[in-house]
Amino acid sequence: MDSNSLQAFVTVADNESFSLAAEQLFLTQSAISKRIALLEEQLDSKLFDRIGRKVSLTEAGNTLLPQARQILRQLQDAKRSLHDLQGQVSGNLSMAASHHISLHRLPPVLRRFTKECPEVDLDLRFDASEIAYEGVLKGDLELALITLSPQPHKQIHAQKVWDDPLRYVVSPDHPLAGKSSVSLEELTAYNAILSGSATFTRQIAAQQFSHPELRLKTAMSTNYLDTIRMMVTIGLGWSLLPDTMINKDLSVLNVDAPPVSRQLGYISHKERTLSKAAQRFIEMLEANSGT
């Protein structure tokens, strides 16, 4: 059983497609099929059901998948450990950052890291926190800088770097803008513009409206906070936005409720040995904590 066959298996399983797996691994579809066939022959088990264009894991495939991920992760760790014996901070660092962190928190850390560690081949993606989270959980990413999940997975190590207070905001000409105090009940009478229901930020915001009598009137949702800010500034509704995004085009409401805050930080897989590049990046992140 070789690592190339296992990588092909995991990639097909993730994409539910032989053709997409081939594109991702820069191989032909026939090469992917041969690797899967070899693996099935070695294990004496069928790993995929192919019905029309649909590709799905068999019971044997589902059993193999988490073990294949672990084997590939251990191989990567072994290569990294041998490379790190050289003592130089180099090699590859695969990482993702949420759009908000990329714009408002990451630049000074990233600037310092690229200057001090020019030998590191940085593979940086910009994804929603939830997508980056899955990337770390599956072993595709070494680090992710995200809004931390209110309910982290048992295999995820999460470390807060920044507190990110959220404020209720409206446009200056919104009916609530001139009030000295606003209740949660009053907010529910107006359109809310919030992050998507599956996002960590939405889960945090929704906790204040968990009472059965408080039903949010969500007019629109998007995962891009800058888009939400734009829609609020033109009067389409109220929202919860980070302090770092509030400007003169927004009015902050004095809401009669406990403060809302989210935690921003980094996550890694507990079973993964971090490279020297990742460790150095974390050191710089933590030095930047609170700023």
Side-chain angles (χ1 to χ4, degrees):
M1 193 186 305
D2 67 274
S3 60
N4 288 332
S5 295
L6 285 176
Q7 186 63 67
F9 165 71
V10 169
T11 308
V12 172
D14 286 343
N15 289 278
E16 298 181 341
S17 167
F18 278 70
S19 59
L20 291 177
E23 290 179 15
Q24 192 168 321
L25 295 176
F26 303 101
L27 296 169
T28 64
Q29 189 168 335
S30 62
I32 291 288
S33 297
K34 288 178 182 177
R35 291 185 180 185
I36 298 301
L38 176 61
L39 190 58
E40 289 178 329
E41 181 181 345
Q42 290 173 329
L43 297 174
D44 193 24
S45 297
K46 187 178 181 182
L47 300 175
F48 293 103
D49 284 325
R50 305 165 181 82
I51 303 174
R53 294 185 177 181
K54 185 177 180 181
V55 176
S56 58
L57 287 166
T58 63
E59 184 178 3
N62 274 309
T63 301
L64 176 63
L65 185 57
Q67 298 178 63
R69 292 194 197 280
Q70 185 176 9
I71 292 169
L72 291 172
R73 189 160 53 241
Q74 289 173 340
L75 284 171
Q76 290 173 348
D77 288 346
K79 291 179 181 178
R80 187 179 299 113
S81 296
L82 292 172
H83 187 273
D84 286 348
L85 288 176
Q86 300 173 5
Q88 187 179 20
V89 180
S90 58
N92 180 266
L93 174 56
S94 58
M95 182 173 67
S98 71
H99 301 286
H100 178 75
I101 290 177
S102 300
L103 289 172
H104 300 279
R105 304 282 187 172
L106 183 58
V109 181
L110 189 59
R111 183 185 301 113
R112 180 183 172 190
F113 181 80
T114 53
K115 285 184 177 179
E116 293 188 14
C117 307
E119 299 301 317
V120 174
D121 183 10
L122 183 62
D123 177 14
L124 177 60
R125 311 176 194 178
F126 302 100
D127 286 321
S129 291
E130 299 70 32
I131 295 175
Y133 191 95
E134 287 298 315
V136 171
L137 194 57
K138 289 180 178 179
D140 297 334
L141 298 169
E142 191 171 0
L143 290 177
L145 311 179
I146 62 170
T147 300
L148 300 182
S149 170
Q151 298 176 325
H153 192 281
K154 62 182 180 181
Q155 291 184 306
I156 289 292
H157 168 73
Q159 180 61 50
K160 182 192 78 173
V161 178
W162 305 282
D163 280 312
D164 199 33
L166 303 175
R167 309 295 183 197
Y168 290 96
V169 292
V170 293
S171 65
D173 58 354
H174 191 278
L176 295 176
K179 302 199 66 172
S180 59
S181 181
V182 176
S183 67
L184 293 177
E185 289 83 359
E186 287 178 288
L187 281 175
T188 60
Y190 295 90
N191 288 335
I193 305 172
L194 300 170
S195 301
S197 58
T199 64
F200 299 149
T201 300
R202 176 66 170 272
Q203 293 170 28
I204 293 166
Q207 289 174 358
Q208 287 209 320
F209 295 87
S210 58
H211 193 282
E213 295 180 1
L214 297 174
R215 295 187 178 182
L216 283 170
K217 188 178 178 182
T218 307
M220 308 173 196
S221 64
T222 173
N223 294 349
Y224 297 98
L225 294 182
D226 288 278
T227 303
I228 290 177
R229 179 176 61 180
M230 178 274 294
M231 290 192 286
V232 173
T233 59
I234 62 175
L236 298 183
W238 62 266
S239 188
L240 268 169
L241 289 176
D243 270 346
T244 52
M245 300 185 67
I246 296 174
N247 57 20
K248 60 182 178 61
D249 296 324
L250 295 170
S251 292
V252 178
L253 299 178
N254 180 24
V255 176
D256 184 17
V260 184
S261 184
R262 61 181 186 171
Q263 295 184 338
L264 308 180
Y266 66 86
I267 62 169
S268 59
H269 200 290
K270 289 182 178 179
E271 296 181 2
R272 185 166 192 165
T273 302
L274 294 180
S275 64
K276 283 192 175 182
Q279 293 174 30
R280 184 68 187 115
F281 194 91
I282 288 171
E283 289 174 5
M284 292 183 184
L285 272 179
E286 293 179 343
N288 192 254
S289 178
T291 62

